Amino acid sequence: MGTAHRTCEVSTVMHVRGPDRLPEEIYRKVLEQLAELSPIVQALPPSAALVELRGALPYYGVDARRLGEVLRVRTLSRLGVDVRVGIGPSITVAATASAQVPPPGGVLAVASGEVGTWLNPLPVDALHGIGPRQAAVLRDYGIHCVGLLAAVPPATVQRLLGGRAGRTAADRARGIDPRPVVPRGLPASATVACRFARHTLDGAAVRSALLDLVVQLGHLLRRRGQAALALTLTLRFASGTSWDATRRLPEPSAHDDDLRALAYQLMDAASLQRARLTGLVLKGGDLIGAHQVAQQLSLDGAREDRLIAESAIDRIRAKFGPGSIGPAATFRRAS
């Protein structure tokens, strides 16, 4: 059997698989959990992602397996979503490992020095990147497992599968995969939502729920280092219908005051009259990086004080959790 080459000294690539048919809104939140572990996150829609942990491991002082376990705890506790995590020295090994984790979730870490031993017994179609047709061709020639594929001369694999595909398959069976994890840009929108336990007509309760969404959205944008140019409010009704409207902010912002003012305008524009609501969705759109927002000189001392307080509140949330502090109206609603 061929032995896998060691492509790096330690296993630092994490491949994460979410459940099938994961709603886009939840998928975005899973990506946010990954970004808390490492800034190098590559989204693989609709429900998977890659993470490069090389820089994160010294920071956290734990091994990659432990970070995978931390991720599972966070997605389960915060989102109610379990994930399958594979860790290896390359994208191929990590993705192959995550596929070997049985649903609903778990962590499988393959050390760089154990890649060959781990890969060799796997069925050839278990190797990430080998499709059903390629696997069928290989099995027709007696190549049933990854170890046999690694032992076949690359030129022979190229003749069986074609030039580029054969070369790639031969390399990956040997653990050779130099591809880096390439960070993808942050999503072009940010969405928060709430659902009422009971259909509600209470204007105060609806306004409180909207304020809570504003706070969540503002915190999410600031944590991402983004600002919104527009807001979209969607109201969902007990009849199964919905209403939505979009308005642009005067200036791009991620500050609660600015988002709240426009969100309230959108709510007022709905002109609700005895409509039974089941939920609200607030989306920040046309997002840009916070560094692109011009810093305006303000003569409003009260606003400047609120921005200073907002920064302090963000630090408290980062330390004690998102529900640790916020407007009194949102806590009355939760109680």
Side-chain angles (χ1 to χ4, degrees):
M1 299 289 181
T3 58
H5 292 255
R6 293 184 62 179
T7 56
C8 62
E9 294 181 358
V10 293
S11 293
T12 64
V13 178
M14 175 188 288
H15 186 275
V16 180
R17 296 177 188 266
D20 292 338
R21 296 182 293 279
L22 188 66
E24 181 181 352
E25 176 186 335
I26 302 300
Y27 176 57
R28 292 180 185 276
K29 292 182 178 180
V30 171
L31 294 178
E32 291 161 15
Q33 299 303 312
L34 298 179
E36 290 186 6
L37 296 180
S38 168
I40 305 177
V41 177
Q42 181 177 343
L44 302 173
S47 60
L50 287 164
V51 188
E52 174 55 68
L53 299 174
R54 185 178 298 276
L57 296 178
Y59 177 82
Y60 289 103
V62 296
D63 61 17
R65 181 192 295 273
R66 177 58 179 161
L67 286 185
E69 293 167 349
V70 168
L71 174 66
R72 279 194 72 206
V73 170
R74 289 181 177 179
T75 59
L76 275 168
S77 62
R78 298 176 181 179
L79 307 176
V81 173
D82 205 349
V83 293
R84 295 185 288 159
V85 179
I87 297 166
S90 69
I91 291 175
T92 293
V93 175
T96 302
S98 67
Q100 295 301 303
V101 177
V107 179
L108 175 57
V110 181
S112 59
E114 300 172 354
V115 169
T117 302
W118 183 76
L119 281 179
N120 286 347
L122 294 178
V124 70
D125 56 356
L127 183 66
H128 182 71
I130 297 291
R133 290 185 180 180
Q134 292 177 324
V137 170
L138 293 171
R139 284 195 294 266
D140 285 344
Y141 283 87
I143 303 172
H144 299 280
C145 65
V146 177
L148 287 173
L149 179 58
V152 173
T156 301
V157 182
Q158 287 180 283
R159 286 196 295 271
L160 295 177
L161 301 181
R164 171 182 264 180
R167 177 77 251 181
T168 299
D171 283 347
R172 293 181 183 176
R174 293 169 170 80
I176 302 171
D177 183 0
R179 293 176 298 164
V181 178
V182 179
R184 293 186 66 160
L186 289 172
S189 64
T191 304
V192 291
C194 74
R195 178 176 295 179
F196 298 114
R198 300 177 180 175
H199 302 169
T200 181
L201 291 168
D202 186 346
V206 172
R207 190 62 61 109
S208 175
L210 180 58
L211 176 58
D212 187 41
L213 293 185
V214 165
V215 171
Q216 290 182 47
L217 180 61
H219 185 231
L220 172 60
L221 291 173
R222 294 190 298 273
R223 191 175 67 198
R224 287 182 176 179
Q226 291 184 298
L229 283 163
L231 284 185
T232 298
L233 176 64
T234 301
L235 309 181
R236 303 195 189 282
F237 301 107
S239 62
T241 60
S242 63
W243 174 95
D244 66 78
T246 301
R247 288 189 183 180
R248 296 187 71 81
L249 289 145
E251 299 287 344
S253 179
H255 299 302
D256 293 356
D257 275 0
D258 303 326
L259 302 177
R260 179 175 62 245
L262 186 56
Y264 283 1
Q265 290 176 27
L266 288 166
M267 178 63 79
D268 293 339
S271 300
L272 296 177
Q273 295 180 349
R274 306 295 295 174
R276 292 183 177 275
L277 284 171
T278 60
L280 306 174
V281 181
L282 187 64
K283 180 174 76 173
D286 294 341
L287 304 187
I288 63 173
H291 64 280
Q292 297 175 262
V293 180
Q295 299 298 315
Q296 302 289 344
L297 178 63
S298 174
L299 300 179
D300 184 345
R303 174 180 170 82
E304 293 301 311
D305 289 343
R306 288 194 294 272
L307 294 182
I308 293 172
E310 184 179 82
S311 179
I313 290 170
D314 283 348
R315 291 194 295 272
I316 293 172
R317 290 186 181 124
K319 185 172 183 179
F320 298 107
S324 58
I325 190 170
T330 64
F331 283 92
R332 285 199 297 269
R333 172 176 168 267
S335 61

